[in-house]
Amino acid sequence: MPPALIELRRRLAEVSDLESLGQLLAWDQEVVMPPGGAEWRAQQRATVERLAHERFVDDRIGELLEAAIPESELDEDLIRVARRDFEQARRVPPELVEELAHASATGHEAWLRAREDSDFALFEPPMRRNVELRRRWIACFPEAERPYDALLDYYEPEMRTAQAEDALGRLRDGLVPLVEQAAPADDALLHGGPFPVDAQRRLIATILRQVGVQPRQWRLDDAVHPFAATVSLDDVRLTTRYAEDDLDSIFSTLHEFGHGLYEANIDRALARSPLGTGVSSAVHESQSRLWENMVGRSPGFWRWCFPHLRAAMPERFGDCTWEDVHRAVNVVRPTLVRVSADEVTYGLHVILRFELEVGLFEGGLDVADLPEAWAERTRAYLGLEVPDHAHGVLQDVHWAEGLFGYFPTYALGTIVSGQLWCRLNGDIPDLDERFAAGEFGPLADWLAEKVHRWGRRLTPTEVVERATGGPLDPGPYLDYVRAKLAGASAGLIA
Amino acid sequence: MPPALIELRRRLAEVSDLESLGQLLAWDQEVVMPPGGAEWRAQQRATVERLAHERFVDDRIGELLEAAIPESELDEDLIRVARRDFEQARRVPPELVEELAHASATGHEAWLRAREDSDFALFEPPMRRNVELRRRWIACFPEAERPYDALLDYYEPEMRTAQAEDALGRLRDGLVPLVEQAAPADDALLHGGPFPVDAQRRLIATILRQVGVQPRQWRLDDAVHPFAATVSLDDVRLTTRYAEDDLDSIFSTLHEFGHGLYEANIDRALARSPLGTGVSSAVHESQSRLWENMVGRSPGFWRWCFPHLRAAMPERFGDCTWEDVHRAVNVVRPTLVRVSADEVTYGLHVILRFELEVGLFEGGLDVADLPEAWAERTRAYLGLEVPDHAHGVLQDVHWAEGLFGYFPTYALGTIVSGQLWCRLNGDIPDLDERFAAGEFGPLADWLAEKVHRWGRRLTPTEVVERATGGPLDPGPYLDYVRAKLAGASAGLIA
């Protein structure tokens, strides 16, 4: 291998190792760290992040990117993706990075208090500061056609605001009437409990084994806010949380499994390089939502899973059928809070936030006007009145930390999951029967081949087009929801 | 603060953070990592070690050490210790560091096979390579009066081989006749079990709570080879192991607690600097051995602990007294294997290794002659015949990994623990009564004040002299052992 390429790979591997360490530090803090270590841990994390950034934006990397002569397509992909990342990272001056980090920490603290008191006035000044700093960040990317393009591109490379507006607008226009028409339904079976936590743990261990989780490469632990961490491609750590009065742990675990499986299936040849991770936030989210919803709420899954559920909690489920549970996990009912939304209304929560973000950065929406704009859209999309800010504009941490451009990827991921699901059912016509037999391997293999193994070698658009046969399109997802709701109205949903 | 000092502190904090990360990566690998991650973890650890080294030996640190003007005694100590470390670290060329690391890994692999087959011939070539490389390492320190001085100084700053030979020779000459005269004693009470692991866990949780372990700053986990890791001064992680057929877990946990307590009590002002860790291997070992032996085998400890032991395992200990247990945990009986040696013979195992190391590097002892030299000394010091290499020269991993100069610090630590114990009993005359009442706070406070809080601000010699009132001296430890054995012979040891 030519020396420039060797050195480039070595330096990129070092940065990649530091990023993996960041994942480990975060996982450790949430899962096992004694709480007294928090103050030092913040400094350790800052050190690792700073070093990863410094080593990556080093002039030498720029020289090597110019000098390296690719010997294979893999090398070409590596140099292309690394150059893109390098140019992006060099655009933002270190002082601004530090100001953003500081404002994020301050905003987080203020948000905690503001949400507790449902007091928007406490939140407004740090939020204003976050928006102002993010405008300066946007200014580092003057080639962006629209300000929001720079925000979105950070999470969803090459996606333009106009595309997102089009796709999410069509999704919104499809969902709003569906939600309005959704039949009232009874999901009491899944609420109130008691669902003993030990029984939930056993059930989830059974589910994860069945979908392909091996202890040699995976862990599952408890965390307050579930997440997945990839410490290496052979060390993927899921977290979940249990409540005695619901069974959300099942869906939350499948969600994180979807994220983890993506990373675990990436081609080993891409490890320790910028290519060795998921390609975008939306494609990642398409994986988590596919496992959480398309799989976890399917008839086949519940035909397989129900005997295990009944065995784990015989008092509760002894007298019912898989059809009862399947019906209950598919209930649609508008709620005020995104994180407890059902599968169908979830997208509307996200679209609301996306539209307000575009308003803030492009449409003259003032921070002071956010609560009113929030209430209006909640009325229009979900048919609900916002009773207080804690159940409205203060419910999410993202804006408090200066995170803008991320929300839309949740709904874009949903759209992609619908396209993948449609194609999957074409390629594997008996998919639901396979689930009923406890066979999740064909699904996992298809995803590995079409999506996972590529890492970042393809662009997000290429991944979606190659896997689904077409461009971003909310149609298949809306069809999936329509079929489900029609079945429920007709009493057909199992 | 003057700018050079600020930058120096910042850079040293970064190196210190990377070293803490190394501790976390090692802990994680031993305790929670899915085994599939091992290959990537080796690379992550190598990256962190290389970065810590590179950032520390950077020319800029040298310039700052020259330019920084101390404003306090603390600054002076910081600059002195950092300069010592810097000069040492710059002496060894990176190529040699890499060769040593590679030979260490190769040696470890060869040792595993050699020990399994008890075949010294498999071990001889990598051992010879380790010795040869270590001679080149020694040559990087030409100012050392004797070759072994360079090895010893790495673990025990400012200790000379001649001092160690003197102290350990006196310890050996004192111990050999004591071991020969040790009364035959019965410790069947502690062997064979069954000692249910769950009961041991509960007992050890009780003990750790009583000696001062708080969940806010500590963890205890299982590991194959127990160790203590300091992820930060407020995040100290102990590990232990349990066997159904003995109660070694108690002593192993107290040993690691001794190491952990040292680090946990270091002055917070020294954190994230080269001052913020234990001062030397011997002083560290004095802490672990003090808790393991002086405390863990004392009458007072067992007067307090016995009711908890009996409550945890009533079938086994229902019919006996605290005196029975105390007698059994103090039995002296020569054995072939260091890690299962009793408190008294342990020192002789270590002295044997120290003498052979000095022979290898200074006395013309050839690697091929190690087995014979080992057998001779085992006969002379312990009165035992070595039946095979696995129970002889191949029992420890240290030499396989090229670790020379570390063994003597185990016995030097024992000597220091004897001196500290003597002084402690002078300063707190009712120490044993306090233990009997479950009061370990006075002991912990004394150690924190006299030893722990200083970190590396004092030299090891200063720590020992200030805390014990005199220089390194095996006399107090021998007196402690003599009193214990005399009590046992006279039936007086409780």
Side-chain angles (χ1 to χ4, degrees):
Chain A
M1 211 189 275
L5 194 58
I6 291 173
E7 188 185 340
L8 179 65
R9 280 190 171 276
R10 189 180 59 66
R11 284 178 174 263
L12 294 175
E14 182 186 89
V15 172
S16 169
D17 283 344
L18 289 169
E19 286 165 352
S20 299
L21 280 180
Q23 295 257 322
L24 177 63
L25 285 168
W27 176 88
D28 185 85
Q29 178 158 15
E30 295 301 319
V31 176
V32 293
M33 188 185 79
E39 186 194 331
W40 308 116
R41 176 55 52 90
Q43 292 172 313
Q44 291 164 347
R45 289 175 73 168
T47 292
V48 167
E49 279 168 33
R50 193 183 56 244
L51 265 177
H53 182 77
E54 274 181 33
R55 303 291 279 196
F56 184 58
V57 301
D58 195 291
D59 291 342
R60 181 69 187 149
I61 298 252
E63 293 164 18
L64 292 166
L65 283 168
E66 291 309 311
I69 298 156
E71 299 199 311
S72 66
E73 280 184 36
L74 180 59
D75 294 340
E76 281 167 25
D77 293 338
L78 176 70
I79 291 168
R80 176 176 46 76
V81 170
R83 182 176 288 135
R84 182 193 140 89
D85 291 352
F86 179 76
E87 282 164 8
Q88 282 219 333
R90 297 260 291 198
R91 290 290 187 85
V92 186
E95 305 75 47
L96 180 54
V97 172
E98 252 181 58
E99 280 185 277
L100 282 161
H102 185 256
S104 170
T106 310
H108 185 99
E109 287 305 306
W111 170 76
L112 286 172
R113 278 175 291 118
R115 189 182 56 159
E116 196 171 311
D117 298 349
S118 200
D119 182 354
F120 186 75
L122 288 175
F123 180 66
E124 199 183 317
M127 175 70 177
R128 208 173 275 287
R129 170 85 175 141
N130 282 341
V131 172
E132 176 207 314
L133 286 174
R134 199 51 77 176
R135 281 190 207 281
R136 281 170 51 196
W137 188 89
I138 290 167
C140 302
F141 302 91
E143 74 285 10
E145 276 180 42
R146 293 173 51 175
Y148 198 86
D149 281 356
L151 296 174
L152 186 58
D153 187 82
Y154 185 76
Y155 300 105
E156 207 51 38
E158 300 177 33
M159 173 78 73
R160 296 290 162 263
T161 308
Q163 284 174 275
E165 283 176 327
D166 171 63
L168 297 182
R170 285 155 63 203
L171 180 63
R172 178 199 59 212
D173 295 343
L175 286 179
V176 169
L178 287 174
V179 170
E180 279 168 2
Q181 295 153 23
D186 180 13
D187 57 354
L189 190 61
L190 296 182
H191 290 283
F195 306 113
V197 170
D198 278 355
Q200 291 187 55
R201 286 187 197 283
R202 286 194 303 275
L203 178 63
I204 281 175
T206 302
I207 294 170
L208 286 183
R209 250 195 325 271
Q210 199 76 18
V211 295
V213 163
Q214 307 273 357
R216 214 186 131 63
Q217 292 174 302
W218 298 75
R219 285 184 65 91
L220 174 69
D221 295 276
D222 296 6
V224 178
H225 301 289
F227 63 99
T230 309
V231 181
S232 70
L233 298 188
D234 293 298
D235 178 357
V236 179
R237 304 182 185 192
L238 311 179
T239 63
T240 193
R241 69 175 154 208
Y242 304 91
E244 284 267 337
D245 60 353
D246 64 45
L247 288 176
D248 292 353
S249 61
I250 296 173
F251 303 98
S252 154
T253 308
L254 283 170
H255 182 98
E256 300 308 333
F257 169 71
H259 284 304
L261 188 68
Y262 187 177
E263 304 270 331
N265 279 334
I266 289 172
D267 183 352
R268 292 313 181 254
L270 314 185
R272 304 183 75 226
S273 89
L275 298 177
T277 183
V279 72
S280 76
S281 299
V283 176
H284 238 302
E285 198 68 11
S286 77
Q287 300 306 296
S288 55
R289 296 193 75 76
L290 189 142
W291 282 94
E292 175 188 354
N293 295 322
M294 277 78 178
V295 179
R297 301 182 204 275
S298 67
F301 178 83
W302 284 104
R303 282 160 68 195
W304 167 76
C305 190
F306 180 70
H308 300 286
L309 174 66
R310 186 163 51 188
M313 300 171 219
E315 303 78 10
R316 180 78 177 202
F317 296 100
D319 291 334
C320 62
T321 64
W322 76 263
E323 290 92 337
D324 297 330
V325 178
H326 178 247
R327 196 179 302 115
V329 303
N330 280 291
V331 159
V332 175
R333 180 190 296 118
T335 54
L336 286 163
V337 176
R338 177 182 61 87
V339 296
S340 54
D342 61 71
E343 175 186 7
V344 177
T345 56
Y346 188 88
L348 293 170
H349 287 268
V350 170
I351 291 166
L352 174 159
R353 286 152 178 77
F354 166 63
E355 292 173 349
L356 298 186
E357 286 186 357
V358 176
L360 280 171
F361 286 96
E362 300 188 350
L365 179 65
D366 190 82
V367 170
D369 300 328
L370 277 174
E372 183 50 36
W374 190 286
E376 265 172 36
R377 280 188 165 73
T378 303
R379 206 174 296 127
Y381 301 164
L382 296 162
L384 298 172
E385 292 301 320
V386 177
D388 54 52
H389 299 308
H391 291 82
V393 67
L394 293 180
Q395 67 181 266
D396 293 310
V397 72
H398 304 57
W399 292 349
E401 295 181 349
L403 208 63
F404 303 105
Y406 192 77
F407 272 129
T409 69
Y410 291 140
L412 294 168
T414 298
I415 290 173
V416 174
S417 73
Q419 293 176 261
L420 290 171
W421 189 244
C422 175
R423 188 62 176 247
L424 260 161
N425 280 281
D427 285 0
I428 312 175
D430 61 345
L431 194 59
D432 198 67
E433 282 301 316
R434 305 296 284 267
F435 294 171
E439 294 170 21
F440 300 95
L443 167 62
D445 291 346
W446 191 96
L447 292 171
E449 173 58 29
K450 302 283 186 180
V451 179
H452 301 170
R453 71 182 179 90
W454 299 97
R456 294 176 71 202
R457 290 194 67 178
L458 306 175
T459 66
T461 304
E462 286 170 336
V463 169
V464 171
E465 297 199 350
R466 287 203 194 186
T468 71
L472 192 69
D473 174 11
Y477 178 72
L478 287 168
D479 291 342
Y480 156 84
V481 172
R482 269 185 212 109
K484 183 178 279 198
L485 295 181
S489 296
L492 288 178
I493 203 169
Chain B
M1 214 189 275
L5 195 57
I6 291 173
E7 188 186 339
L8 179 65
R9 281 189 170 277
R10 189 180 58 68
R11 286 179 173 260
L12 293 175
E14 181 186 87
V15 172
S16 168
D17 282 343
L18 288 170
E19 287 166 351
S20 300
L21 281 180
Q23 295 257 321
L24 177 63
L25 285 169
W27 177 88
D28 184 86
Q29 178 158 17
E30 296 301 319
V31 176
V32 294
M33 188 185 80
E39 186 195 329
W40 308 116
R41 177 56 50 90
Q43 292 172 314
Q44 291 165 346
R45 289 174 72 167
T47 292
V48 168
E49 278 168 35
R50 192 183 59 244
L51 265 177
H53 182 77
E54 274 181 32
R55 304 291 279 197
F56 184 57
V57 300
D58 194 289
D59 291 342
R60 182 70 186 149
I61 297 253
E63 293 165 17
L64 292 166
L65 283 168
E66 291 309 311
I69 297 157
E71 298 199 311
S72 66
E73 281 184 33
L74 180 60
D75 294 341
E76 283 167 23
D77 294 338
L78 176 70
I79 292 168
R80 177 176 45 77
V81 169
R83 183 175 288 136
R84 183 195 138 88
D85 291 352
F86 179 76
E87 284 165 5
Q88 281 218 334
R90 297 262 290 198
R91 290 292 187 86
V92 186
E95 305 76 45
L96 180 54
V97 172
E98 253 182 55
E99 281 185 276
L100 283 162
H102 185 255
S104 169
T106 310
H108 185 98
E109 288 304 307
W111 170 76
L112 286 172
R113 278 175 289 119
R115 190 182 56 160
E116 196 171 310
D117 299 347
S118 199
D119 182 354
F120 187 74
L122 288 175
F123 180 64
E124 200 182 316
M127 174 70 176
R128 209 173 274 288
R129 171 84 176 141
N130 281 342
V131 172
E132 176 207 314
L133 286 174
R134 198 52 75 174
R135 279 190 209 283
R136 282 170 50 196
W137 188 87
I138 290 169
C140 302
F141 303 90
E143 74 286 11
E145 276 180 42
R146 292 173 51 176
Y148 199 85
D149 281 355
L151 296 174
L152 186 58
D153 188 81
Y154 186 76
Y155 299 105
E156 208 49 39
E158 299 178 33
M159 173 79 72
R160 297 289 162 266
T161 309
Q163 284 174 277
E165 283 176 326
D166 171 63
L168 298 182
R170 284 156 63 203
L171 180 62
R172 176 198 61 210
D173 295 344
L175 287 179
V176 170
L178 288 174
V179 170
E180 281 168 2
Q181 295 153 26
D186 180 15
D187 56 355
L189 190 61
L190 295 182
H191 291 282
F195 306 114
V197 169
D198 277 355
Q200 290 188 52
R201 287 188 197 281
R202 287 194 301 276
L203 178 64
I204 281 175
T206 303
I207 293 171
L208 286 183
R209 247 193 329 269
Q210 199 76 18
V211 296
V213 163
Q214 305 273 358
R216 212 184 134 64
Q217 292 174 301
W218 299 75
R219 285 184 64 91
L220 174 68
D221 295 276
D222 295 6
V224 178
H225 300 289
F227 63 97
T230 309
V231 180
S232 70
L233 298 188
D234 292 298
D235 178 357
V236 178
R237 304 182 184 191
L238 311 180
T239 63
T240 194
R241 70 175 154 208
Y242 303 92
E244 284 268 338
D245 61 353
D246 65 44
L247 288 175
D248 292 354
S249 61
I250 298 172
F251 302 98
S252 154
T253 308
L254 283 170
H255 182 98
E256 301 308 334
F257 169 70
H259 284 306
L261 188 67
Y262 187 176
E263 304 269 332
N265 279 334
I266 289 172
D267 183 352
R268 292 309 180 260
L270 315 186
R272 302 182 77 227
S273 89
L275 298 176
T277 183
V279 72
S280 76
S281 300
V283 176
H284 237 301
E285 198 68 12
S286 77
Q287 299 306 297
S288 55
R289 298 193 73 75
L290 190 142
W291 282 94
E292 175 188 356
N293 294 321
M294 276 78 177
V295 178
R297 302 182 203 275
S298 67
F301 178 83
W302 283 103
R303 284 161 68 195
W304 168 75
C305 190
F306 180 70
H308 301 286
L309 174 66
R310 187 162 54 187
M313 299 170 218
E315 304 77 10
R316 180 78 177 201
F317 296 101
D319 290 335
C320 63
T321 64
W322 75 264
E323 290 92 338
D324 297 329
V325 178
H326 178 247
R327 198 180 300 115
V329 303
N330 279 291
V331 158
V332 175
R333 178 192 297 118
T335 54
L336 286 164
V337 177
R338 178 181 62 88
V339 296
S340 55
D342 61 69
E343 175 187 7
V344 177
T345 56
Y346 187 87
L348 294 170
H349 287 268
V350 170
I351 291 166
L352 175 160
R353 287 152 178 76
F354 166 62
E355 292 174 349
L356 298 187
E357 286 186 356
V358 175
L360 280 171
F361 287 94
E362 300 189 351
L365 180 66
D366 190 83
V367 169
D369 299 329
L370 278 174
E372 183 49 37
W374 189 287
E376 264 171 37
R377 279 187 166 73
T378 302
R379 205 173 296 128
Y381 300 163
L382 295 162
L384 298 172
E385 292 302 319
V386 177
D388 54 52
H389 299 311
H391 290 82
V393 66
L394 293 180
Q395 66 181 265
D396 294 310
V397 73
H398 302 58
W399 292 348
E401 295 181 348
L403 207 62
F404 303 104
Y406 191 76
F407 272 129
T409 69
Y410 290 141
L412 294 166
T414 299
I415 290 173
V416 173
S417 72
Q419 292 176 264
L420 291 170
W421 189 244
C422 174
R423 189 59 178 246
L424 260 161
N425 280 280
D427 284 2
I428 312 175
D430 61 344
L431 193 60
D432 198 69
E433 282 301 317
R434 306 295 283 265
F435 293 172
E439 294 170 21
F440 300 95
L443 165 62
D445 292 345
W446 192 96
L447 292 171
E449 173 58 30
K450 303 282 187 179
V451 179
H452 300 169
R453 73 183 178 91
W454 298 98
R456 293 175 72 202
R457 291 194 67 179
L458 306 175
T459 67
T461 305
E462 286 170 335
V463 169
V464 172
E465 297 199 349
R466 287 203 195 187
T468 71
L472 192 68
D473 174 13
Y477 177 72
L478 287 167
D479 291 343
Y480 156 83
V481 172
R482 271 186 210 109
K484 181 178 277 200
L485 295 181
S489 297
L492 287 177
I493 205 169

